[in-house]
Amino acid sequence: NVYAGPYVDRASDRRKDAAWLAAALEDAATRFVPVWRSRSLVRLVGAPGAVLLARESVVGLDPAGAILLGQFQGRPVFAVELDASEPPSLAEAAEFADLRTAGALLPADEAGLLAYARAMVYWRQRHRWCGTCGEATAPASAGHVMRCTACGTDYFPRIDPAIIVLISD
């Protein structure tokens, strides 16, 4: 499974550290994983790979909208959802592709990172409203909690464990 593996240190201890998060969002070493319409930015020409953006490439970054994925290859990495109606032009020889078709072509660690980013963006899209009172939710804990702005109910990403078994007797 190209999407599974210990590729990202999820840095859960940093999610509530406002000073660290602010510094990481401005750090030149930090990379951003753009997700547009559930598609990831990949380079499929030549050596296939994920396209991770530097801070200056992410125009109009809303710090509250960035989702801390953790540390990847020794640097902080955030997922960002792009809301443009047309796919933005962010890198040469790159395109926004569905991971179901592009994932197997990518290095396993990069495919896993892109899948994690897409999953977090998808989860946040589906939890913009409180299931208890119906009011809007706002991101907290570096994007890993959606908190109701009225009643304070917290929503967390689901973990859906699955197993495949073979009955032999």
Side-chain angles (χ1 to χ4, degrees):
N1 183 351
V2 297
Y3 301 122
Y7 311 124
V8 179
D9 170 2
R10 299 204 179 188
S12 59
D13 58 319
R14 304 277 185 157
R15 292 179 190 160
K16 294 182 182 178
D17 185 344
W20 185 88
L21 288 168
L25 284 167
E26 295 301 325
D27 187 350
T30 297
R31 292 296 176 255
F32 295 86
V33 180
V35 178
W36 176 75
R37 293 188 176 178
S38 297
R39 294 186 174 124
S40 301
L41 189 60
V42 295
R43 181 184 60 258
L44 297 175
V45 177
V51 177
L52 307 180
L53 302 176
R55 172 68 179 91
E56 63 269 7
S57 298
V58 185
V59 179
L61 175 67
D62 174 13
I67 304 167
L68 175 65
L69 300 177
Q71 298 272 60
F72 179 72
Q73 298 178 346
R75 60 178 67 184
V77 179
F78 291 83
V80 290
E81 179 182 12
L82 304 178
D83 291 327
S85 60
E86 293 294 321
S89 167
L90 297 173
E92 285 189 39
E95 63 184 83
F96 283 94
D98 189 316
L99 283 179
R100 290 174 284 198
T101 57
L105 303 173
L106 305 174
D109 60 342
E110 294 178 7
L113 178 69
L114 295 182
Y116 180 29
R118 184 198 178 281
M120 290 300 294
V121 167
Y122 180 81
W123 169 75
R124 282 187 41 180
Q125 289 172 343
R126 300 300 180 264
H127 289 83
R128 295 180 194 244
W129 305 99
C130 179
T132 302
C133 72
E135 290 296 321
T137 59
S141 194
H144 289 262
V145 174
M146 293 300 281
R147 181 168 294 139
C148 178
T149 57
C151 70
T153 301
D154 287 340
Y155 296 93
F156 301 91
R158 290 183 359 183
I159 298 176
D160 296 325
I163 62 169
I164 299 174
V165 297
L166 171 66
I167 299 172
S168 61
D169 187 9

